[in-house]
C-alpha cells in the first residue's frame, strides 16, 4: 500500500497566522484523511475528503484534493497555541487499511 | 459512545523479556482492529490488523505477534524483545459506520523502551 508524503516536515508560525501543509501520493485513492497527534498521545481524526471531492471545511480547517496532481493540502486558519501538534495525512484505498505519512510538525508561537 | 483503551501507558523491559500489550474497545461491535508502531519523530508503521476474532493479518515480518481472543480485544505480544522493538505502540479501531472510509480511532498509546 502507498504512503502519503507530507511537506514541509516542520512549520513554525506566529499565533493568528495560517498554516498550510501538503500531502502527495502516487496511485489512485478512495479517500484521504488528516489526523493530528499531540506530543506523546494517540492520533485524532480531523477531516476526510473522498476522491470525488475537491474541498472540505471543518471549523478552521480547510482541505483540498487534486486527484490530477495526486496531492492534498490542509490549511489551518487563525492558528492558536493549541494547534501545536504533528499532522498526518492518511491514504485510504479499497481495503481495510490506511497508509500514513511521516507527518508535519507544526509549532505555533505565542 | 465508543472508547478505546490501551495499557500499560509506559513500559521499560530488558532485552529478551516477553511482551504483552492489550487494547480493548467499548461501545461498538465487530470493529476492525489495528496495531501500529511509531518510531520517534516518524510516521506510523502498520504491524497487524484484524477484521474478526482469530483473524490476524501481519504487515511486516518481525519479532512480534498479535491475537484477538475476543471481539473487542486485541493483544500484541513478543516472546523475546529486541532493542529495535522500542517505540510508541498505538492501537486503533474502525467500525462498520466507517466501512467505506476506514476512519480510524486511536488509543492513547504505549511507550515501550527496551534496554
Amino acid at each position: 500500500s502507498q504512503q502519503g508524503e507530507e511537506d514541509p516536515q516542520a512549520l513554525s508560525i506566529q499565533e493568528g497566522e495560517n498554516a498550510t501543509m501538503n500531502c502527495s501520493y502516487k496511485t489512485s485513492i478512495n479517500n484521504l484523511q488528516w489526523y493530528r497527534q499531540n506530543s506523546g498521545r494517540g492520533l485524532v481524526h480531523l477531516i476526510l475528503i473522498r476522491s470525488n471531492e475537491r474541498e472540505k471545511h471543518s471549523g478552521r480547517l480547510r482541505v483540498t484534493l487534486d486527484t490530477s496532481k495526486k496531492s492534498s493540502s490542509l490549511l489551518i486558519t487563525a492558528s492558536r497555541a493549541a494547534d501545536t501538534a504533528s499532522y498526518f495525512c492518511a491514504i485510504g484505498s479499497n481495503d481495510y487499511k490506511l497508509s500514513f505519512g511521516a507527518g508535519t510538525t507544526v509549532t505555533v508561537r505565542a | 459512545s465508543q472508547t478505546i483503551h490501551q495499557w500499560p501507558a509506559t513500559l521499560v523491559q530488558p532485552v529478551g523479556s516477553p511482551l504483552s500489550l492489550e487494547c480493548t474497545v467499548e461501545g461498538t461491535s465487530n470493529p476492525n482492529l489495528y496495531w501500529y508502531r511509531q518510531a520517534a519523530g516518524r510516521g506510523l508503521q502498520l504491524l497487524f490488523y484484524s477484521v474478526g476474532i482469530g483473524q490476524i493479518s501481519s504487515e511486516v515480518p518481525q519479532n512480534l505477534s498479535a491475537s484477538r481472543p475476543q471481539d473487542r480485544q486485541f493483544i500484541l505480544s513478543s516472546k523475546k524483545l529486541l532493542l529495535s522493538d522500542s517505540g510508541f505502540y498505538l492501537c486503533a479501531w474502525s467500525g462498520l459506520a466507517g466501512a467505506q472510509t476506514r476512519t480510524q480511532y486511536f488509543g492513547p498509546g504505549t511507550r515501550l523502551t527496551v534496554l
Side-chain angles (χ1 to χ4, degrees):
Chain A
S1 57
Q2 65 172 319
Q3 274 188 319
E5 295 184 11
E6 290 96 340
D7 173 66
Q9 288 187 325
L11 186 58
S12 180
I13 56 174
Q14 201 75 27
E15 204 165 22
E17 293 180 339
N18 296 342
T20 300
M21 59 211 85
N22 304 295
C23 174
S24 59
Y25 57 93
K26 294 184 179 176
T27 62
S28 61
I29 63 172
N30 177 281
N31 64 84
L32 188 146
Q33 304 181 30
W34 287 91
Y35 289 77
R36 183 187 72 228
Q37 183 181 34
N38 292 92
S39 181
R41 310 292 291 274
L43 278 71
V44 174
H45 180 256
L46 294 176
I47 196 166
L48 176 149
I49 188 164
R50 300 175 192 271
S51 60
N52 61 353
E53 297 175 314
R54 293 298 167 257
E55 186 170 315
K56 284 192 81 170
H57 297 255
S58 176
R60 294 184 295 111
L61 305 179
R62 181 173 80 101
V63 169
T64 62
L65 178 65
D66 187 334
T67 53
S68 66
K69 295 181 179 179
K70 293 186 169 53
S71 68
S72 173
S73 67
L74 171 66
L75 168 68
I76 306 173
T77 60
S79 62
R80 306 167 181 170
D83 295 327
T84 293
S86 292
Y87 293 82
F88 296 87
C89 69
I91 306 302
S93 301
N94 294 318
D95 58 19
Y96 297 105
K97 300 175 286 187
L98 292 176
S99 296
F100 288 83
T104 293
T105 300
V106 175
T107 302
V108 181
R109 306 186 307 273
Chain B
S1 64
Q2 300 87 7
T3 310
I4 180 169
H5 302 278
Q6 279 187 252
W7 64 90
T10 61
L11 193 57
V12 179
Q13 292 284 96
V15 169
S17 65
L19 173 73
S20 181
L21 302 181
E22 189 162 344
C23 171
T24 60
V25 181
E26 296 177 356
T28 187
S29 297
N30 301 317
N32 292 336
L33 295 171
Y34 308 84
W35 277 113
Y36 292 90
R37 178 170 58 206
Q38 185 179 31
R42 303 291 295 278
L44 277 67
Q45 179 187 33
L46 180 62
L47 302 176
F48 301 95
Y49 70 96
S50 171
V51 300
I53 296 174
Q55 300 179 61
I56 309 294
S57 296
S58 173
E59 287 295 292
V60 292
Q62 59 209 321
N63 186 42
L64 302 169
S65 62
S67 62
R68 184 171 177 172
Q70 299 180 44
D71 181 45
R72 289 170 290 178
Q73 184 185 30
F74 205 21
I75 297 172
L76 184 69
S77 304
S78 174
K79 292 182 180 178
K80 288 186 178 182
L81 283 168
L82 306 172
L83 287 174
S84 58
D85 291 324
S86 293
F88 191 49
Y89 288 82
L90 289 158
C91 181
W93 72 273
S94 66
L96 292 177
Q100 295 302 315
T101 64
R102 307 301 176 197
T103 297
Q104 293 184 13
Y105 303 92
F106 284 80
T110 295
R111 175 78 58 194
L112 172 65
T113 303
V114 183
L115 302 175

Coordinates of all heavy atoms in Angstrom, one line a residue, chain B residues 12-81:
Chain B
V12 N 9.1 -0.3 30.5 CA 10.5 -0.5 30.3 C 10.8 -1.9 30.5 O 10.5 -2.5 31.6 CB 11.3 0.4 31.3 CG1 12.8 0.2 31.0 CG2 10.9 1.9 31.1
Q13 N 11.4 -2.6 29.5 CA 11.6 -4.0 29.6 C 13.1 -4.3 29.2 O 13.6 -3.7 28.3 CB 10.7 -4.8 28.6 CG 9.2 -4.7 29.0 CD 8.9 -5.7 30.2 OE1 8.9 -5.2 31.3 NE2 8.7 -6.9 29.8
P14 N 13.7 -5.4 29.7 CA 15.0 -5.8 29.3 C 15.0 -6.6 28.0 O 13.9 -7.2 27.7 CB 15.5 -6.6 30.5 CG 14.3 -7.1 31.1 CD 13.2 -6.1 30.9
V15 N 16.1 -6.5 27.3 CA 16.2 -7.3 26.0 C 16.0 -8.8 26.4 O 16.5 -9.2 27.4 CB 17.6 -7.1 25.4 CG1 17.8 -8.1 24.3 CG2 17.7 -5.7 24.8
G16 N 15.2 -9.5 25.6 CA 15.0 -10.9 25.8 C 13.8 -11.2 26.6 O 13.4 -12.4 26.8
S17 N 13.2 -10.2 27.2 CA 12.0 -10.5 28.0 C 10.7 -10.5 27.2 O 10.7 -10.1 26.0 CB 11.8 -9.4 29.1 OG 11.6 -8.1 28.5
P18 N 9.6 -11.1 27.7 CA 8.4 -11.2 26.9 C 7.6 -9.9 27.0 O 7.9 -9.0 27.8 CB 7.6 -12.3 27.6 CG 8.1 -12.3 29.0 CD 9.5 -11.9 28.9
L19 N 6.6 -9.7 26.1 CA 5.8 -8.5 26.0 C 4.4 -8.9 25.8 O 4.1 -9.8 25.1 CB 6.3 -7.7 24.8 CG 5.4 -6.4 24.5 CD1 5.7 -5.4 25.6 CD2 5.7 -5.9 23.1
S20 N 3.5 -8.2 26.5 CA 2.1 -8.3 26.2 C 1.5 -6.9 26.4 O 1.5 -6.3 27.4 CB 1.4 -9.3 27.1 OG 0.0 -9.4 26.9
L21 N 1.0 -6.3 25.3 CA 0.2 -5.1 25.3 C -1.2 -5.4 25.0 O -1.5 -6.1 24.0 CB 0.8 -4.1 24.3 CG 2.3 -3.7 24.4 CD1 2.7 -2.7 23.3 CD2 2.6 -3.2 25.8
E22 N -2.1 -4.7 25.7 CA -3.5 -5.0 25.5 C -4.3 -3.8 25.0 O -4.0 -2.6 25.4 CB -4.1 -5.6 26.8 CG -5.5 -6.1 26.6 CD -6.0 -7.0 27.7 OE1 -5.1 -7.5 28.5 OE2 -7.2 -7.2 27.9
C23 N -5.3 -4.0 24.2 CA -6.1 -3.0 23.7 C -7.6 -3.5 23.7 O -7.8 -4.6 23.3 CB -5.7 -2.7 22.2 SG -6.8 -1.6 21.3
T24 N -8.5 -2.7 24.3 CA -9.9 -3.0 24.3 C -10.7 -1.9 23.8 O -10.4 -0.7 24.0 CB -10.4 -3.5 25.6 OG1 -10.2 -2.4 26.6 CG2 -9.6 -4.7 26.1
V25 N -11.8 -2.2 23.1 CA -12.7 -1.2 22.6 C -14.1 -1.4 23.2 O -14.5 -2.5 23.4 CB -12.8 -1.3 21.1 CG1 -13.8 -0.3 20.5 CG2 -11.5 -1.2 20.4
E26 N -14.7 -0.3 23.6 CA -16.1 -0.3 24.2 C -17.0 0.4 23.3 O -16.7 1.4 22.6 CB -16.0 0.3 25.6 CG -15.2 -0.4 26.6 CD -15.2 0.3 27.9 OE1 -15.7 1.4 28.0 OE2 -14.5 -0.3 28.9
G27 N -18.3 0.0 23.3 CA -19.3 0.7 22.6 C -19.5 0.5 21.2 O -20.2 1.2 20.5
T28 N -18.9 -0.6 20.7 CA -19.1 -1.0 19.3 C -18.9 -2.5 19.1 O -18.3 -3.1 20.0 CB -18.1 -0.2 18.4 OG1 -18.4 -0.5 17.0 CG2 -16.6 -0.7 18.6
S29 N -19.4 -3.0 18.1 CA -19.3 -4.5 17.8 C -18.6 -4.7 16.5 O -18.7 -3.9 15.6 CB -20.6 -5.1 17.8 OG -21.3 -5.0 19.0
N30 N -17.9 -5.8 16.4 CA -17.2 -6.2 15.1 C -16.3 -5.1 14.6 O -16.3 -4.9 13.4 CB -18.2 -6.6 14.1 CG -19.1 -7.7 14.5 OD1 -18.7 -8.7 15.1 ND2 -20.4 -7.6 14.2
P31 N -15.5 -4.5 15.4 CA -14.6 -3.5 14.9 C -13.5 -4.1 14.1 O -13.1 -5.2 14.4 CB -14.1 -2.7 16.1 CG -14.1 -3.8 17.2 CD -15.3 -4.7 16.9
N32 N -12.9 -3.4 13.1 CA -11.6 -3.7 12.6 C -10.6 -3.2 13.6 O -10.8 -2.1 14.1 CB -11.3 -3.1 11.3 CG -12.2 -3.7 10.2 OD1 -12.7 -4.8 10.3 ND2 -12.5 -2.9 9.1
L33 N -9.6 -3.9 13.9 CA -8.6 -3.5 14.9 C -7.2 -3.5 14.3 O -6.9 -4.3 13.4 CB -8.6 -4.4 16.1 CG -9.9 -4.5 16.9 CD1 -9.9 -5.6 17.9 CD2 -10.1 -3.1 17.6
Y34 N -6.4 -2.5 14.8 CA -5.1 -2.3 14.2 C -4.0 -2.1 15.3 O -4.3 -1.4 16.3 CB -5.1 -1.0 13.3 CG -6.2 -1.0 12.2 CD1 -7.5 -0.6 12.6 CD2 -5.9 -1.4 10.9 CE1 -8.5 -0.6 11.6 CE2 -7.0 -1.4 10.0 CZ -8.2 -1.0 10.4 OH -9.2 -1.0 9.4
W35 N -2.8 -2.6 15.0 CA -1.6 -2.2 15.8 C -0.6 -1.5 14.9 O -0.3 -2.0 13.8 CB -0.9 -3.4 16.4 CG -1.5 -4.0 17.7 CD1 -2.2 -5.2 17.8 CD2 -1.5 -3.4 19.0 NE1 -2.6 -5.3 19.1 CE2 -2.2 -4.2 19.8 CE3 -1.0 -2.2 19.5 CZ2 -2.4 -3.9 21.2 CZ3 -1.2 -1.9 20.8 CH2 -1.8 -2.8 21.6
Y36 N -0.2 -0.3 15.4 CA 0.9 0.4 14.7 C 2.1 0.6 15.7 O 1.9 0.6 16.9 CB 0.4 1.8 14.4 CG -0.7 1.9 13.3 CD1 -2.1 1.9 13.7 CD2 -0.4 2.1 12.0 CE1 -3.1 1.9 12.7 CE2 -1.4 2.2 11.0 CZ -2.7 2.1 11.4 OH -3.7 2.2 10.4
R37 N 3.2 0.9 15.1 CA 4.4 1.3 15.8 C 4.9 2.6 15.2 O 4.9 2.8 14.0 CB 5.5 0.3 15.8 CG 6.8 0.7 16.5 CD 7.8 -0.4 16.7 NE 8.2 -1.0 15.4 CZ 8.6 -2.2 15.3 NH1 8.7 -3.0 16.3 NH2 9.0 -2.7 14.1
Q38 N 5.2 3.5 16.1 CA 5.7 4.8 15.7 C 7.1 5.0 16.3 O 7.2 5.1 17.5 CB 4.8 5.9 16.1 CG 5.2 7.3 15.6 CD 4.2 8.3 16.0 OE1 3.5 8.2 17.1 NE2 4.0 9.4 15.2
A39 N 8.1 5.1 15.5 CA 9.5 5.5 16.0 C 9.5 7.0 16.2 O 8.7 7.7 15.7 CB 10.5 5.1 14.9
A40 N 10.4 7.4 17.1 CA 10.5 8.8 17.5 C 10.5 9.7 16.3 O 11.4 9.6 15.4 CB 11.7 9.0 18.4
G41 N 9.6 10.7 16.2 CA 9.6 11.7 15.2 C 9.2 11.1 13.8 O 9.5 11.8 12.8
R42 N 8.6 10.0 13.8 CA 8.3 9.3 12.5 C 6.8 9.1 12.3 O 6.0 9.3 13.2 CB 9.1 8.0 12.4 CG 10.6 8.1 12.6 CD 11.3 8.8 11.4 NE 11.1 8.1 10.2 CZ 11.9 7.1 9.8 NH1 12.9 6.7 10.6 NH2 11.8 6.5 8.7
G43 N 6.5 8.5 11.2 CA 5.1 8.2 10.9 C 4.8 6.8 11.5 O 5.5 6.3 12.2
L44 N 3.6 6.4 11.2 CA 3.1 5.1 11.7 C 3.3 4.0 10.8 O 3.1 4.0 9.6 CB 1.5 5.2 11.9 CG 1.1 5.9 13.2 CD1 1.4 7.4 13.2 CD2 -0.4 5.7 13.4
Q45 N 3.8 2.9 11.3 CA 4.0 1.6 10.6 C 3.0 0.7 11.0 O 2.9 0.3 12.2 CB 5.4 1.1 10.9 CG 5.7 -0.2 10.2 CD 7.0 -0.8 10.6 OE1 7.4 -0.7 11.7 NE2 7.7 -1.5 9.7
L46 N 2.1 0.2 10.1 CA 1.1 -0.8 10.4 C 1.8 -2.1 10.7 O 2.5 -2.6 9.8 CB 0.1 -0.9 9.3 CG -1.0 -1.9 9.5 CD1 -1.9 -1.5 10.7 CD2 -1.9 -2.0 8.2
L47 N 1.5 -2.7 11.8 CA 2.1 -4.0 12.2 C 1.1 -5.1 11.9 O 1.4 -6.1 11.3 CB 2.5 -4.0 13.7 CG 3.4 -2.9 14.1 CD1 3.6 -3.0 15.6 CD2 4.8 -3.1 13.4
F48 N -0.1 -5.0 12.4 CA -1.1 -6.1 12.3 C -2.5 -5.4 12.2 O -2.7 -4.3 12.7 CB -1.2 -7.0 13.6 CG 0.1 -7.7 13.9 CD1 1.0 -7.1 14.8 CD2 0.4 -8.9 13.3 CE1 2.2 -7.8 15.0 CE2 1.6 -9.5 13.5 CZ 2.5 -9.0 14.4
Y49 N -3.4 -6.1 11.5 CA -4.8 -5.7 11.6 C -5.7 -7.0 11.6 O -5.3 -8.1 11.2 CB -5.2 -4.8 10.4 CG -5.2 -5.4 9.1 CD1 -6.4 -5.8 8.5 CD2 -4.1 -5.5 8.3 CE1 -6.5 -6.4 7.3 CE2 -4.1 -6.0 7.0 CZ -5.3 -6.5 6.5 OH -5.4 -7.0 5.2
S50 N -6.9 -6.8 12.1 CA -7.8 -7.9 12.3 C -9.2 -7.4 12.0 O -9.7 -6.4 12.4 CB -7.8 -8.3 13.8 OG -8.8 -9.3 14.0
V51 N -9.9 -8.3 11.2 CA -11.3 -8.0 10.8 C -12.3 -8.8 11.6 O -13.5 -8.7 11.4 CB -11.5 -8.1 9.3 CG1 -10.6 -7.2 8.5 CG2 -11.2 -9.6 8.8
G52 N -11.8 -9.7 12.4 CA -12.7 -10.5 13.2 C -11.9 -11.4 14.2 O -10.7 -11.5 14.1
I53 N -12.6 -12.0 15.1 CA -12.0 -12.9 16.1 C -11.1 -13.9 15.5 O -11.6 -14.6 14.6 CB -13.0 -13.6 17.0 CG1 -13.8 -12.5 17.8 CG2 -12.4 -14.6 18.0 CD1 -15.0 -13.1 18.6
G54 N -9.9 -14.0 15.9 CA -9.0 -15.0 15.4 C -8.4 -14.7 14.0 O -7.6 -15.5 13.5
Q55 N -8.8 -13.6 13.4 CA -8.3 -13.3 12.1 C -7.3 -12.2 12.2 O -7.6 -11.0 12.5 CB -9.5 -12.8 11.2 CG -10.5 -13.9 11.0 CD -11.7 -13.3 10.1 OE1 -11.5 -13.0 9.0 NE2 -12.9 -13.2 10.7
I56 N -6.0 -12.5 11.9 CA -4.9 -11.6 12.1 C -4.2 -11.5 10.8 O -3.8 -12.6 10.2 CB -3.9 -12.0 13.2 CG1 -4.7 -12.3 14.5 CG2 -2.9 -11.0 13.4 CD1 -5.4 -11.1 15.1
S57 N -3.9 -10.3 10.3 CA -3.0 -10.1 9.1 C -1.8 -9.4 9.6 O -1.9 -8.4 10.3 CB -3.8 -9.4 8.0 OG -4.9 -10.1 7.6
S58 N -0.6 -9.9 9.1 CA 0.6 -9.3 9.5 C 1.1 -8.5 8.3 O 1.1 -9.0 7.2 CB 1.6 -10.4 9.9 OG 2.9 -9.8 10.1
E59 N 1.6 -7.3 8.6 CA 2.1 -6.4 7.5 C 3.6 -6.5 7.3 O 4.0 -6.3 6.2 CB 1.7 -5.0 7.8 CG 0.2 -4.7 7.7 CD -0.2 -4.8 6.2 OE1 0.2 -4.0 5.4 OE2 -1.0 -5.8 5.9
V60 N 4.3 -6.7 8.3 CA 5.8 -6.8 8.2 C 6.3 -8.0 9.0 O 5.8 -8.2 10.1 CB 6.4 -5.5 8.6 CG1 6.1 -4.4 7.7 CG2 6.1 -5.1 10.0
P61 N 7.3 -8.7 8.5 CA 7.9 -9.7 9.3 C 8.7 -9.1 10.5 O 9.3 -8.1 10.3 CB 8.9 -10.4 8.3 CG 9.2 -9.4 7.3 CD 7.9 -8.5 7.2
Q62 N 8.5 -9.7 11.7 CA 9.1 -9.1 12.8 C 9.1 -10.0 14.0 O 8.6 -11.2 13.9 CB 8.4 -7.8 13.2 CG 6.9 -8.1 13.5 CD 6.1 -6.9 13.1 OE1 6.5 -5.7 13.3 NE2 4.9 -7.1 12.5
N63 N 9.5 -9.5 15.1 CA 9.6 -10.2 16.3 C 8.3 -10.2 17.1 O 8.3 -10.7 18.2 CB 10.7 -9.6 17.1 CG 11.1 -10.3 18.4 OD1 11.1 -11.5 18.4 ND2 11.3 -9.6 19.5
L64 N 7.3 -9.7 16.5 CA 6.0 -9.5 17.3 C 4.9 -10.4 16.7 O 5.0 -10.8 15.6 CB 5.6 -8.1 17.2 CG 6.6 -7.0 17.7 CD1 6.1 -5.6 17.3 CD2 6.7 -7.1 19.2
S65 N 3.9 -10.6 17.5 CA 2.7 -11.4 17.1 C 1.5 -10.7 17.7 O 1.6 -9.9 18.6 CB 2.7 -12.8 17.5 OG 2.8 -12.9 18.9
A66 N 0.3 -10.9 17.1 CA -0.9 -10.4 17.6 C -2.0 -11.4 17.7 O -1.9 -12.4 17.0 CB -1.4 -9.2 16.7
S67 N -2.9 -11.2 18.6 CA -4.0 -12.1 18.8 C -5.3 -11.3 19.1 O -5.2 -10.2 19.6 CB -3.7 -13.2 19.9 OG -3.6 -12.5 21.1
R68 N -6.4 -11.9 18.7 CA -7.7 -11.3 19.0 C -8.6 -12.4 19.6 O -9.4 -13.1 18.9 CB -8.3 -10.8 17.7 CG -9.6 -10.0 18.0 CD -10.1 -9.3 16.7 NE -11.4 -8.6 16.9 CZ -11.9 -7.8 16.0 NH1 -11.3 -7.6 14.8 NH2 -13.0 -7.3 16.2
P69 N -8.5 -12.6 20.9 CA -9.2 -13.6 21.6 C -10.7 -13.3 21.8 O -11.5 -14.2 21.9 CB -8.6 -13.7 23.0 CG -7.9 -12.4 23.2 CD -7.6 -11.9 21.8
Q70 N -11.1 -12.1 21.8 CA -12.5 -11.6 21.9 C -12.7 -10.5 20.8 O -11.8 -9.9 20.3 CB -12.8 -11.1 23.3 CG -12.6 -12.1 24.4 CD -12.9 -11.6 25.8 OE1 -13.9 -10.9 25.9 NE2 -12.0 -11.8 26.7
D71 N -14.0 -10.3 20.6 CA -14.4 -9.3 19.5 C -13.7 -8.0 19.7 O -13.3 -7.3 18.7 CB -15.9 -9.2 19.5 CG -16.4 -8.2 18.4 OD1 -15.9 -8.4 17.3 OD2 -17.2 -7.4 18.7
R72 N -13.6 -7.5 21.0 CA -13.2 -6.1 21.2 C -11.8 -6.1 21.9 O -11.5 -5.1 22.6 CB -14.2 -5.3 21.9 CG -15.5 -5.1 21.0 CD -16.6 -4.5 21.8 NE -17.2 -5.5 22.7 CZ -18.2 -5.3 23.5 NH1 -18.7 -4.1 23.6 NH2 -18.7 -6.2 24.3
Q73 N -11.1 -7.1 21.8 CA -9.8 -7.2 22.5 C -8.7 -7.6 21.5 O -8.8 -8.6 20.7 CB -9.8 -8.3 23.6 CG -8.6 -8.4 24.4 CD -8.7 -9.5 25.5 OE1 -9.3 -10.5 25.2 NE2 -8.0 -9.3 26.6
F74 N -7.6 -6.8 21.5 CA -6.5 -7.0 20.6 C -5.2 -7.0 21.4 O -5.0 -6.1 22.2 CB -6.5 -5.9 19.5 CG -5.9 -6.3 18.2 CD1 -5.7 -7.6 17.8 CD2 -5.5 -5.3 17.4 CE1 -5.2 -7.9 16.6 CE2 -4.9 -5.6 16.1 CZ -4.8 -6.9 15.7
I75 N -4.4 -8.0 21.3 CA -3.2 -8.2 22.1 C -2.0 -8.2 21.2 O -2.0 -9.0 20.2 CB -3.3 -9.4 23.0 CG1 -4.5 -9.3 23.9 CG2 -2.0 -9.6 23.7 CD1 -4.8 -10.5 24.7
L76 N -1.0 -7.5 21.6 CA 0.3 -7.5 20.9 C 1.3 -8.2 21.8 O 1.5 -7.8 22.9 CB 0.8 -6.1 20.5 CG 2.1 -5.9 19.7 CD1 1.9 -6.4 18.3 CD2 2.5 -4.5 19.7
S77 N 2.1 -9.1 21.2 CA 3.0 -9.9 22.1 C 4.3 -10.1 21.4 O 4.5 -10.0 20.2 CB 2.4 -11.3 22.3 OG 1.1 -11.3 22.9
S78 N 5.3 -10.5 22.3 CA 6.6 -10.9 21.8 C 7.1 -11.9 22.8 O 6.9 -11.8 24.0 CB 7.6 -9.8 21.7 OG 8.9 -10.2 21.4
K79 N 7.8 -12.9 22.4 CA 8.4 -13.9 23.3 C 9.7 -13.4 23.8 O 10.1 -13.6 25.0 CB 8.6 -15.2 22.6 CG 7.3 -15.9 22.2 CD 7.6 -17.3 21.6 CE 6.3 -18.0 21.2 NZ 6.5 -19.3 20.5
K80 N 10.5 -12.7 22.9 CA 11.8 -12.1 23.4 C 12.0 -10.8 22.7 O 12.2 -10.7 21.5 CB 12.9 -13.1 22.9 CG 13.0 -14.4 23.7 CD 14.2 -15.2 23.3 CE 14.3 -16.4 24.1 NZ 15.6 -17.2 23.8
L81 N 12.0 -9.7 23.5 CA 12.1 -8.4 23.0 C 13.5 -8.1 22.5 O 14.5 -8.6 23.1 CB 11.7 -7.4 24.0 CG 10.2 -7.2 24.3 CD1 10.0 -6.4 25.5 CD2 9.6 -6.5 23.1

